[in-house]
Amino acid sequence: MDLVSILEIDDKKLLDKELRKAFSPYSLPIAVDGEELACLIILINSTIPRNKIKDIIDKQQAQELWKDDGHLDKCLTEVGWYHTHNLKYPDARVSHQVYRGDSPTVYPNVLSSANLPYGLGWANNSAMVNYAKLFSAEFLWRGDVLTLGTLLTAKQPLWLDKLVLLGVKKNKLDSMIAYLDNELSQKQTPHEISDYSKQLRFMVTGKLIAVTPIVSHTVQAKIHKLAPSLRTTTISHGHPASVSGLVASVGGFSRVLNYYPSVKRNRTKDFITARRDKKGCFDNSVLSSKSFVNALKCIAKENLAPTVRQRRQLRVSALRFIRKQLILWLAPMMEWRDSEPNANYDTEPNGIENKLIVTPLEQLPQLVAELNLKFHQSIQFNKYASRYAFHPELILPIKMQLSWLLRYLATPMSTTVTTNSHVYLHLQQLKVSDASSLSNPYVAGIPSLTALWGFVEYYQLRLNKLAGTSIDMESVAWFISEYQEIQTKKLPEPCIPVSKRSASNIKRSGIIDGKYCDLTVDLIIALRIPDEETTPTKQLLQAALPSKFAGGTLLPPALYEQRDWLNIYSSRSELFSVVSRFPKSGCWIYSDSGKLDSFQQLEQRLKLDPDLKPVNMGFIALEKPQERVNSIAEQHCFAEPCLGVVQCKNAIEVRLEGANQFFDSAFWHLSSENTAMLMQTHHKD
């Protein structure tokens, strides 16, 4: 929609609402070609509080404001508080600081403000929030995203003429242009760290540096623009105008992506229990999901995409997802063959269930026709998927996927994996309470990968100090078996005296909203032990375990649940034999082999692959480390958190892909290259 279309609205209330929305930072830029004068009227009238102006397109009111030098000076003063990265988010107590700098370096497969056009937001005194809108509101003109500030610094004749027409004096116009040109060309960086700004410590090129993460205005605005097509949730702010102009425009409810790990409650019984209960031995629950039905709909050629390329992409994505669901459908059978292959339960001798159990592995592909029939019978009476039972467009594709799966199962599991000098430490069923699921200011769901690495680094420090060793924890694999979102907000402890000069009550600080979760995890840490040292005892390894993970409390399992929760493996094959039998209800956090070059690509891929999840991948420095007041290390730098994607890989898929793929794609480590601190795996593209 363009400005011309909006101005045709007859309802005054709706017109006012749509015009304010069109020039808000959370909306897509609107084309103003041909309506430049109306645009200038709307922009100057937006600087007046809504309750003090009746009509946002009142030309007479706009002319009075454009002639008011005092009003224009207030608007110009706020240009000094325009930022590229917001130091006041999420804690508005940070004051008298602004960061306005260049975009960071572009890094492959991670997204930051470097992947978006340069843009400016505003954050300062909340009373001045309206004045800041005049020169920062974005719109489309002649195909480019611009602001009034950039048009004036470019001395665009058409816009200058319109301003003169509205009553701006020539000398005032010249002084405005000079001020904007001088102010917007300057970079602004704080010389000290606020007491309310977070600081993290990273080891970069052998030196410990302090890093303050700051949120990008353009990325935050982009998340809001993507909100209608992606899963999002809100973070609330009690005093939104004190945080930023963007947060104020959305009423204090800033949007973040909302993608939780693919962890299910383990309701599905295994084969043995199912036979005792006289129930089916396939996990039919996985065939009822909306995503699975949508995949069947795609293969059945319903609701075709407009282009051949899009149809091909959707079909490939749907087939991949169907294969994953078929693996889960057969998972109870696979668990049965692994656990007690010789046990005898009440099954039909000639039924497909019995054949899957007793048939030698190498002969499993011969059962594809019967298994295909069983699949269609399984969805025949499913109220969500029944229409696709024995569908002519589905019979062959499903049969091909089942054939691939049976051939894969028939291939003996390889026991030869690439050799390595590592020792592997397996920490089982660790319980984490109140962990931060707000991975970074843009995404909630899976806790940050850098928090995972912080746990490993601290574990290494504690272990070496306790045992007197120099062991290096090189990488870590992460399995989430249970996940529970916490719905309630955290209430801060009383910490502020009502009176500083006398004995008084203690009050609480304001709530800074967040997202939290409880989870149960398994961690496998690759240790490199020097030749002259021996592997520490289990008692030492258990004693050195940190008690914090992603801001939450970490505890080993209770004694009545599991006594032997720490194991050491020197053989990769032995470790993988354990890993391959993890419960199908959980997921491994795997690296993703696909490309991620833009936010549009992120949107497309999240829609195509339900197991793909956005997460914080690390930080990109916005400057070279330098000395700063209040820094917790000798060197400090401001950095932007960046987005990446991970695969939530089911344990059954991990088993089928094999050991080498697991050791290449599941083990994470922090890589510090140039100005970036990013989590990576050894994945080979």
Side-chain angles (χ1 to χ4, degrees):
M1 186 179 286
D2 53 24
L3 185 56
V4 176
S5 302
I6 296 178
L7 291 173
E8 293 175 354
I9 298 174
D10 294 328
D11 188 324
K12 286 190 175 182
K13 287 186 177 180
L14 180 60
L15 175 62
D16 182 84
K17 178 182 176 182
E18 291 299 320
L19 287 174
R20 291 181 184 277
K21 180 180 178 181
F23 289 93
S24 293
Y26 63 84
S27 298
L28 292 171
I30 187 172
V32 300
D33 299 78
E35 293 290 347
E36 292 83 1
L37 184 65
C39 178
L40 289 170
I41 291 171
I42 294 165
L43 289 177
I44 194 68
N45 285 339
S46 297
T47 62
I48 302 298
R50 188 175 303 192
N51 60 354
K52 293 184 179 180
I53 186 168
K54 293 181 179 180
D55 190 355
I56 197 173
I57 55 172
D58 186 341
K59 184 176 181 181
Q60 183 177 353
Q61 173 75 53
Q63 287 177 322
E64 292 177 4
L65 292 173
W66 278 116
K67 293 176 184 178
D68 187 345
D69 289 350
H71 186 80
L72 291 179
D73 288 340
K74 289 181 180 180
C75 296
L76 286 168
T77 300
E78 293 310 305
V79 173
W81 295 101
Y82 286 1
H83 61 245
T84 54
H85 297 77
N86 188 4
L87 287 160
K88 292 175 71 68
Y89 188 94
D91 196 335
R93 292 175 295 180
V94 177
S95 61
H96 300 96
Q97 290 191 349
V98 63
Y99 188 96
R100 186 165 65 243
D102 296 324
S103 296
T105 306
V106 176
Y107 283 87
N109 301 323
V110 293
L111 299 179
S112 67
S113 58
N115 301 92
L116 294 170
Y118 186 84
L120 296 172
W122 170 90
N124 186 28
N125 183 353
S126 60
M128 311 299 288
V129 63
N130 289 310
Y131 296 108
K133 297 177 182 178
L134 182 59
F135 299 109
S136 64
E138 292 184 339
F139 47 83
L140 277 172
W141 189 65
R142 295 181 179 176
D144 295 325
V145 178
L146 300 166
T147 65
L148 182 57
T150 55
L151 286 167
L152 291 182
T153 54
K155 298 182 180 180
Q156 175 50 242
L158 176 62
W159 290 82
L160 297 180
D161 292 342
K162 298 293 184 184
L163 285 171
V164 171
L165 184 64
L166 286 169
V168 181
K169 298 175 183 177
K170 185 67 169 63
N171 61 341
K172 183 62 179 178
L173 192 56
D174 291 339
S175 66
M176 285 169 57
I177 293 172
Y179 182 87
L180 288 167
D181 187 46
N182 177 66
E183 190 65 45
L184 294 178
S185 63
Q186 293 183 15
K187 309 302 178 188
Q188 296 286 339
T189 306
H191 298 293
E192 65 177 6
I193 315 301
S194 169
D195 293 336
Y196 302 108
S197 293
K198 291 183 178 179
Q199 294 189 62
L200 308 173
R201 279 181 288 203
F202 285 91
M203 188 66 70
V204 179
T205 61
K207 290 184 178 180
L208 198 64
I209 67 168
V211 173
T212 294
I214 48 177
V215 64
S216 163
H217 164 76
T218 54
V219 176
Q220 266 197 317
K222 185 65 177 179
I223 298 297
H224 279 270
K225 293 166 187 175
L226 292 175
S229 58
L230 295 177
R231 295 202 300 271
T232 61
T233 186
T234 57
I235 302 295
S236 62
H237 302 271
H239 303 282
S242 299
V243 179
S244 72
L246 171 61
V247 176
S249 70
V250 293
F253 296 96
S254 57
R255 288 277 175 182
V256 297
L257 299 176
N258 189 36
Y259 287 82
Y260 293 98
S262 303
V263 176
K264 299 178 181 178
R265 291 186 180 181
N266 199 6
R267 296 173 178 173
T268 305
K269 297 179 179 180
D270 60 21
F271 185 94
I272 302 172
T273 309
R275 288 317 307 159
R276 287 172 180 164
D277 294 346
K278 305 297 182 183
K279 295 181 180 179
C281 305
F282 295 91
D283 186 1
N284 290 322
S285 65
V286 302
L287 307 181
S288 303
S289 70
K290 184 178 179 180
S291 298
F292 183 72
V293 174
N294 287 339
L296 294 178
K297 183 185 295 186
C298 178
I299 303 303
K301 298 181 180 179
E302 298 179 9
N303 301 330
L304 292 175
T307 67
V308 174
R309 185 170 180 268
Q310 287 177 326
R311 289 198 289 271
R312 187 182 299 116
Q313 286 179 332
L314 288 172
R315 182 177 177 85
V316 170
S317 177
L319 285 172
R320 286 176 179 169
F321 183 72
I322 286 172
R323 179 184 294 180
K324 290 179 181 180
Q325 297 304 96
L326 291 175
I327 290 171
L328 296 177
W329 181 59
L330 282 175
M333 289 291 185
M334 298 168 65
E335 291 178 354
W336 168 256
R337 291 190 69 116
D338 289 341
S339 57
E340 299 182 41
N342 297 319
N344 184 23
Y345 281 93
D346 184 20
T347 58
E348 295 181 19
N350 297 320
I352 183 61
E353 296 174 353
N354 190 67
K355 290 180 180 179
L356 285 169
I357 297 167
V358 301
T359 301
L361 276 176
E362 64 274 9
Q363 297 177 19
L364 282 179
Q366 299 173 14
L367 302 177
V368 63
E370 292 181 67
L371 190 58
N372 191 31
L373 175 64
K374 180 66 177 179
F375 168 80
H376 288 279
Q377 289 174 342
S378 298
I379 65 172
Q380 192 170 13
F381 301 103
N382 186 309
K383 66 178 181 179
Y384 301 106
S386 59
R387 61 182 295 186
Y388 301 107
F390 301 102
H391 193 290
E393 294 288 347
L394 288 171
I395 291 177
L396 184 58
I398 295 295
K399 186 176 181 179
M400 291 176 64
Q401 296 303 315
L402 290 171
S403 177
W404 174 90
L405 179 55
L406 291 177
R407 288 198 311 271
Y408 217 114
L409 291 173
T411 305
M413 188 184 297
S414 175
T415 57
T416 58
V417 294
T418 53
T419 58
N420 192 282
S421 58
H422 289 109
V423 171
Y424 293 93
L425 177 64
H426 180 196
L427 305 171
Q428 303 176 51
Q429 295 294 292
L430 303 179
K431 311 290 184 181
V432 185
S433 301
D434 287 336
S436 175
S437 61
L438 193 62
S439 190
N440 67 23
Y442 317 128
V443 58
I446 300 173
S448 171
L449 289 175
T450 52
L452 172 68
W453 188 250
F455 168 86
V456 173
E457 286 276 353
Y458 189 43
Y459 193 9
Q460 174 182 303
L461 181 66
R462 284 171 58 92
L463 177 62
N464 287 333
K465 186 176 180 180
L466 184 64
T469 57
S470 55
I471 291 172
D472 186 15
M473 295 186 175
E474 290 195 339
S475 57
V476 58
W478 187 12
F479 180 80
I480 304 175
S481 56
E482 296 179 11
Y483 186 97
Q484 180 65 49
E485 180 187 4
I486 297 175
Q487 300 290 346
T488 57
K489 295 184 183 295
K490 280 194 172 184
L491 190 64
E493 291 294 329
C495 60
I496 304 173
V498 175
S499 173
K500 295 183 178 179
R501 297 183 178 180
S502 61
S504 64
N505 294 330
I506 305 297
K507 63 180 182 179
R508 303 177 190 271
S509 60
I511 294 176
I512 297 178
D513 197 12
K515 298 294 179 181
Y516 303 93
C517 63
D518 294 338
L519 61 162
T520 302
V521 302
D522 279 47
L523 300 177
I524 300 176
I525 303 174
L527 308 179
R528 186 173 293 279
I529 302 173
D531 295 337
E532 65 276 8
E533 296 182 11
T534 58
T535 304
T537 63
K538 284 188 177 182
Q539 289 75 16
L540 279 173
L541 290 166
Q542 289 175 339
L545 184 73
S547 60
K548 288 287 185 180
F549 180 89
T553 302
L554 180 143
L555 293 171
L559 292 177
Y560 69 86
E561 293 178 317
Q562 191 170 355
R563 288 180 175 271
D564 192 16
W565 53 269
L566 186 149
N567 288 301
I568 302 169
Y569 297 92
S570 57
S571 165
R572 280 190 167 191
S573 299
E574 185 182 357
L575 172 61
F576 188 71
S577 68
V578 174
V579 165
S580 63
R581 288 166 175 79
F582 272 28
K584 65 181 183 298
S585 57
C587 67
W588 288 97
I589 305 301
Y590 254 47
S591 65
D592 175 63
S593 59
K595 289 187 177 181
L596 187 65
D597 299 326
S598 67
F599 282 85
Q600 288 72 25
Q601 194 175 44
L602 173 69
E603 180 183 7
Q604 294 169 2
R605 296 195 62 202
L606 290 179
K607 288 180 178 178
L608 290 174
D609 190 349
D611 289 330
L612 199 68
K613 311 292 181 181
V615 70
N616 179 50
M617 296 298 289
F619 303 93
I620 300 176
L622 298 169
E623 58 181 359
K624 291 182 178 180
Q626 56 187 277
E627 293 183 3
R628 273 199 177 92
V629 179
N630 291 338
S631 173
I632 59 175
E634 290 185 6
Q635 298 283 306
H636 174 275
C637 72
F638 289 100
E640 180 183 331
C642 55
L643 278 171
V645 290
V646 296
Q647 285 283 349
C648 286
K649 191 77 72 170
N650 188 275
I652 305 297
E653 293 179 70
V654 170
R655 172 183 175 178
L656 294 177
E657 289 180 353
N660 285 331
Q661 181 69 16
F662 172 73
F663 288 102
D664 282 343
S665 301
F667 281 83
W668 297 90
H669 66 280
L670 184 71
S671 175
S672 300
E673 298 180 3
N674 298 327
T675 59
M677 295 147 280
L678 302 175
M679 293 296 289
Q680 296 178 351
T681 65
H682 302 290
H683 187 86
K684 302 176 181 64
D685 294 333

